[in-house]
Amino acid sequence: MRNEILLILSVVIIYGSVLLWYKLLGCKGLMAFTVLATISANIEVLILVNAFGMEQTLGNILFASTFLVTDILSEVSGKKAANQAVNIGILTSLTFIIISQSWLLYQPGANDWAHSSIVNIFSNTPRMMAASLIVYAISQKFDVWLYHKWWGLTKRLCGDSRRYLWLRNNGSTLLSQLLNTVLFTMGAFLGTYDTRTLISIMWASYVIFIFTSLADTPAVYLARRIRPVGEDAECA
């Protein structure tokens, strides 16, 4: 149960950190958290653990927190701010990939002890890195677009822009995470594993994302209480 407890605690700590950064720094804090989460997730995703009866990579919760960030920004600052956070995440990921890969080109010194470990950690295949970056961009942009589509629908139905937050939050994130899961699995592993294994990988990944997506709904409600809709216009 150790891994399961740590994963649950990670959700609480990471989502709680998003709210803390937002309370202290506003939407600029969320932009900064996107940078932290993107870099950390690119490293953490290399770790495999067994939890809840499934073998899974770490990094899923950190990656899910970037969807929480864009949903909060969509809710309180608008579509432009949410897309800005996505663009920051894309640029951060691309820059980190380039920098981390450049480390592998250096000839280590005679007294170096870290280079072989760095090579083992960061020598990902180009296909894996390309799939990660492209799918991140597609799924995040789709999430922001769908969030505001749901928002327009619920506003027309009830005439109140504040109601049905849970619907636009879960309706956008769950579908975006499904798109992310399918595209990344196919982009990274198609031709490497048979169809049954690919489906198993998709299912295991999406189960985790269902949990993290549902768990971020209370966080979005809390964020709206911290800074009501329209109040945080500094990034709009």
Side-chain angles (χ1 to χ4, degrees):
M1 287 295 294
R2 178 178 178 178
N3 287 346
E4 288 81 358
I5 293 171
L6 286 173
L7 285 172
I8 293 171
L9 285 175
S10 292
V11 173
V12 175
I13 292 170
I14 292 171
Y15 284 11
S17 296
V18 171
L19 294 175
L20 178 62
W21 284 43
Y22 184 52
K23 181 175 179 60
L24 295 177
L25 302 171
C27 77
K28 291 180 180 177
L30 296 181
M31 303 290 184
F33 192 90
T34 296
V35 174
L36 171 68
T38 303
I39 293 174
S40 300
N42 270 295
I43 299 172
E44 197 178 36
V45 74
L46 302 174
I47 303 172
L48 282 173
V49 298
N50 287 300
F52 301 107
M54 299 177 292
E55 186 175 58
Q56 56 193 271
T57 64
L58 293 181
N60 288 324
I61 298 171
L62 277 168
F63 181 69
S65 72
T66 64
F67 284 86
L68 171 59
V69 165
T70 55
D71 284 355
I72 292 174
L73 287 171
S74 288
E75 186 69 22
V76 301
S77 294
K79 187 175 183 179
K80 181 179 178 181
N83 276 319
Q84 185 178 14
V86 175
N87 293 336
I88 288 172
I90 294 170
L91 188 59
T92 298
S93 184
L94 177 61
T95 305
F96 178 74
I97 288 171
I98 293 172
I99 291 174
S100 62
Q101 291 305 298
S102 73
W103 298 338
L104 310 182
L105 302 177
Y106 286 91
Q107 183 69 37
N111 296 317
D112 174 82
W113 56 269
H115 186 263
S116 60
S117 298
I118 294 294
V119 170
N120 287 333
I121 293 172
F122 290 106
S123 58
N124 299 313
T125 64
R127 177 181 177 180
M128 185 80 71
M129 292 185 293
S132 177
L133 179 60
I134 293 170
V135 171
Y136 174 86
I138 292 172
S139 59
Q140 287 280 11
K141 289 288 186 179
F142 179 75
D143 179 63
V144 174
W145 173 82
L146 190 57
Y147 191 98
H148 289 273
K149 284 295 182 181
W150 279 115
W151 201 345
L153 175 62
T154 56
K155 187 176 180 179
R156 287 195 300 271
L157 289 175
C158 66
D160 186 347
S161 63
R162 290 181 62 84
R163 294 182 63 187
Y164 295 107
L165 169 57
W166 62 270
L167 178 60
R168 54 183 174 269
N169 172 238
N170 289 306
S172 61
T173 305
L174 286 170
L175 290 175
S176 300
Q177 294 285 32
L178 177 61
L179 178 66
N180 166 72
T181 301
V182 172
L183 290 181
F184 179 76
T185 303
M186 299 298 286
F189 303 119
L190 184 64
T192 303
Y193 299 115
D194 58 33
T195 301
R196 183 175 181 179
T197 302
L198 289 174
I199 293 173
S200 177
I201 293 171
M202 290 181 196
W203 171 246
S205 299
Y206 192 57
V207 166
I208 298 166
F209 283 135
I210 290 174
F211 171 74
T212 56
S213 298
L214 295 176
D216 80 2
T217 302
V220 180
Y221 274 98
L222 286 171
R224 198 169 68 175
R225 290 180 65 87
I226 293 171
R227 293 172 183 262
V229 176
E231 181 179 304
D232 194 0
E234 63 190 50
C235 291

